[in-house]
Amino acid sequence: MRILKEIQPGIFKREGLIYTENSDPGNQVYGENLIDFEDLEYRRWIEKRSKVGAAIQNGMKIDLRPDMDVLYLGAASGTTVSHFSDILQDGIIVGIEYSDTVIKGLVNLAESRDNVAPVLANARNPEEYDDYLSEYDYIFQDISQKDQPEIFLKNCRKYLKKEGIGLLSIKARSISDARPLEEIFGEVKRKVSEVLEIVDEVGLEPYEKEHLVIKVKWP
Amino acid sequence: MNKDDVVGEALKDTRKELEEVDREKHLVKAVKMLEEVEASISEKEERFKDWYSLHFPEMVEEVDNIQHLAKILGSEVEKSEIESFEEMASKSTGAAITQKEKEIIESVIGNLESDLVLREELEAYIEDLVKEEMPNLSKLLGTFLAARMIALAGGLDEMAKMPASTVQMLGAEKALFRYLRGEGTPPKHGILFEHEFVRPLPNNERGKMARFMANKAVIAARLDNYGDKHKGEELREETREKFEEVKR
């Protein structure tokens, strides 16, 4: 029997592929494979479809624990959100998405999972969603905008708990078309580290081009 | 709020927001659809004329306008049977057609006709909607330019928040980014070029006029979105004055 091994809380690996335990058994979210192992069903976490999946494959320990409450900025149609939802046993995910077209996927996801809260709002204005939770254990952001570091910092300042963890996916080409990668990443890291402490970073090659994921906590 | 309530509330709020009627979104989609339909008509028109010329080239020569052509051929495509073109038909150099060809040509022209109708309907819909929802902008730019501008900006609300310099570049993204990569010169105008106060000007004056127009267009969009809906005439007058000044 090929063995499925838990490599990080709630994240499993078998033969080089990663999985989460399906909390909505029998149903796929984005066309991923479902497998059975010891009477439980697992969903393949496709690295090419999810920046977090790619970061995990490239060796990052994301430090997401099952009891955390997550603020997810740029939730889109819920591909990565669905895996977070599998991992979180006691916590919830508040997913912020600005586009009313793609949020429809997230709404559908929320219907079948009881820990996903879809919110139609602009992550640039964190006040827009302060009705929900007032602080979070974990903030993840995947937004392709020029001011992505500023958006992240704004949200961390308002919502990230003292012992919380932040994960930021940076898309270099949203910041500048022309400047060299190192310069762009350097600038983002400098901005972020003025406020937070960067504890880990990983590039997403070969799954995504010109992306960097950084992990932060309060200093 | 406890966690279950957060999930329930968020889902409820989001569903409610998604249900709200937003006519601007329809406008954006309609403009894009119109652009597709126009492109498709012009391709089909070329193709059809080319095809029909096998049978009756003189007709295609004579009637260039596709709407007229569709009207004439709508009921009959066989040249000897078309009313009031008997003489032209008798001298025609085109080849005869069989029943089979006649049928398929009828289908093609029928399809073109329905595209033409669709185009008219889309135009009428867009015109009404723009006049109603953005009277200032449509006064200033004309209905279709206003509609295309809104479509490029992604909505009136979005356009109202844009700086005039961005509006000036709407539709010129390719040239703008080429310039930003360090190749070529900065574009002067995007679709604003099509405005009657910009296009007639000599090349070296258009940039100035486009810049002015963009500023006025943003003011119009902001008024449409947040304020007085009756400033269009005034804005247009100011723009006309500037145009006269630049033209000299």
Side-chain angles (χ1 to χ4, degrees):
Chain A
M1 187 74 194
R2 294 173 299 175
I3 189 139
L4 192 67
K5 191 175 139 229
E6 187 166 16
I7 51 167
Q8 292 183 35
I11 306 167
F12 302 84
K13 193 166 193 173
R14 186 172 85 177
E15 296 179 331
L17 304 178
I18 50 174
Y19 297 87
T20 55
E21 186 190 325
N22 194 356
S23 61
D24 180 22
N27 294 314
Q28 298 169 311
V29 176
Y30 56 100
E32 72 283 13
N33 274 346
L34 303 177
I35 61 162
D36 291 316
F37 183 75
E38 291 178 349
D39 299 331
L40 289 170
E41 186 177 86
Y42 295 83
R43 296 165 50 233
R44 162 102 197 270
W45 193 339
I46 303 176
E47 319 80 32
K48 284 199 172 167
R49 300 283 299 278
S50 163
K51 315 278 157 56
V52 182
I56 295 167
Q57 282 291 38
N58 284 356
M60 180 177 266
K61 215 171 153 290
I62 62 165
D63 286 345
L64 182 65
R65 290 192 316 269
D67 59 342
M68 286 178 153
D69 290 329
V70 179
L71 177 63
Y72 192 122
L73 307 164
S77 54
T79 305
T80 306
V81 174
S82 71
H83 290 289
F84 277 22
S85 158
D86 282 347
I87 295 170
L88 301 176
Q89 305 281 334
D90 305 311
I92 63 168
I93 313 154
V94 175
I96 310 298
E97 173 54 47
Y98 184 55
S99 156
D100 51 10
T101 315
V102 297
I103 204 174
K104 285 170 188 160
L106 191 64
V107 168
N108 287 332
L109 186 76
E111 295 287 356
S112 55
R113 287 161 179 267
D114 55 13
N115 59 1
V116 177
V119 177
L120 189 59
N122 187 342
R124 284 197 184 89
N125 311 320
E127 322 72 60
E128 282 182 26
Y129 35 91
D130 59 7
D131 284 357
Y132 303 111
L133 293 184
S134 56
E135 47 178 13
Y136 293 87
D137 306 294
Y138 201 95
I139 297 183
F140 172 64
Q141 173 178 312
D142 179 13
I143 294 179
S144 304
Q145 290 291 326
K146 196 164 184 190
D147 55 344
Q148 42 192 313
E150 286 81 5
I151 298 173
F152 185 66
L153 290 176
K154 241 190 254 180
N155 281 279
C156 286
R157 280 202 194 92
K158 187 166 167 58
Y159 290 116
L160 188 62
K161 283 185 188 167
K162 272 229 124 32
E163 63 288 353
I165 303 280
L167 206 60
L168 171 64
S169 166
I170 308 157
K171 178 179 175 186
R173 292 301 165 225
S174 295
I175 294 176
S176 167
D177 239 12
R179 286 157 53 201
L181 275 191
E182 288 316 308
E183 191 183 317
I184 299 169
F185 289 143
E187 187 188 290
V188 174
K189 283 192 274 184
R190 208 188 57 243
K191 276 183 194 160
V192 171
S193 55
E194 278 168 16
V195 182
L196 296 151
E197 185 191 336
I198 299 176
V199 289
D200 197 6
E201 64 172 77
V202 63
L204 298 189
E205 302 280 352
Y207 308 110
E208 298 274 355
K209 261 191 250 159
E210 304 175 327
H211 277 71
L212 184 74
V213 170
I214 60 178
K215 185 167 78 176
V216 300
K217 62 182 182 72
W218 289 111
Chain B
M1 244 195 268
N2 78 38
K3 291 179 186 180
D4 286 344
D5 290 347
V6 168
V7 171
E9 275 298 304
L11 190 56
K12 207 176 82 201
D13 293 350
T14 305
R15 278 203 170 279
K16 209 172 118 207
E17 269 183 77
L18 289 176
E19 274 166 19
E20 271 167 32
V21 179
D22 187 346
R23 300 192 71 197
E24 270 174 50
K25 276 185 203 134
H26 289 274
L27 176 64
V28 173
K29 302 290 180 202
V31 169
K32 293 195 169 148
M33 181 60 83
L34 177 62
E35 282 168 5
E36 292 290 336
V37 172
E38 277 173 344
S40 145
I41 286 174
S42 87
E43 286 187 359
K44 283 184 193 169
E45 175 186 342
E46 284 298 308
R47 188 63 64 198
F48 174 76
K49 284 177 173 171
D50 188 33
W51 188 348
Y52 193 62
S53 294
L54 292 174
H55 176 56
F56 199 179
E58 294 76 10
M59 174 67 94
V60 176
E61 279 291 301
E62 179 69 22
V63 186
D64 187 55
N65 184 308
I66 186 64
Q67 243 152 338
H68 297 163
L69 194 62
K71 201 165 229 162
I72 295 164
L73 302 180
S75 45
E76 183 57 61
V77 300
E78 175 112 47
K79 60 186 171 190
S80 53
E81 305 292 320
I82 303 169
E83 260 177 65
S84 60
F85 287 90
E86 292 86 359
E87 204 192 322
M88 195 193 272
S90 66
K91 291 181 192 152
S92 172
T93 56
I97 46 173
T98 71
Q99 187 60 27
K100 289 262 185 228
E101 278 79 40
K102 202 181 138 180
E103 279 165 19
I104 193 69
I105 287 173
E106 273 167 2
S107 286
V108 173
I109 192 73
N111 174 273
L112 241 169
E113 250 185 310
S114 65
D115 276 0
L116 291 167
V117 172
L118 178 61
R119 179 172 74 181
E120 263 172 41
E121 284 175 9
L122 282 168
E123 282 172 352
Y125 167 79
I126 291 168
E127 188 160 2
D128 284 353
L129 190 51
V130 169
K131 278 187 179 152
E132 207 172 302
E133 301 277 320
M134 40 215 85
N136 293 321
L137 197 63
S138 71
K139 270 260 162 53
L140 180 66
L141 301 179
T143 344
F144 289 108
L145 191 53
R148 289 182 56 205
M149 202 117 225
I150 294 293
L152 282 171
L156 180 60
D157 203 42
E158 278 74 10
M159 181 165 165
K161 287 177 189 153
M162 280 181 177
S165 53
T166 304
V167 169
Q168 190 184 343
M169 294 295 107
L170 284 177
E173 286 77 7
K174 198 173 150 198
L176 177 65
F177 288 115
R178 186 175 56 215
Y179 165 66
L180 291 177
R181 275 199 309 275
E183 300 156 29
T185 52
K188 295 184 283 298
H189 36 53
I191 58 166
L192 271 180
F193 170 70
E194 287 168 29
H195 195 276
E196 56 184 309
F197 292 162
V198 179
R199 196 178 34 201
L201 293 170
N203 198 11
N204 58 349
E205 299 287 359
R206 274 191 221 134
K208 190 189 291 174
M209 194 62 210
R211 191 168 65 238
F212 188 87
M213 283 292 313
N215 276 288
K216 292 298 174 190
V218 165
I219 293 171
R222 286 176 192 162
L223 286 168
D224 281 332
N225 204 28
Y226 309 114
D228 188 348
K229 301 246 184 199
H230 309 286
K231 293 275 187 188
E233 212 50 70
E234 203 178 304
L235 288 167
R236 189 169 175 92
E237 222 19 73
E238 288 166 11
T239 321
R240 180 189 301 283
E241 278 167 29
K242 179 78 176 178
F243 172 66
E244 299 295 341
E245 184 194 315
V246 174
K247 204 170 65 173
R248 246 180 277 128

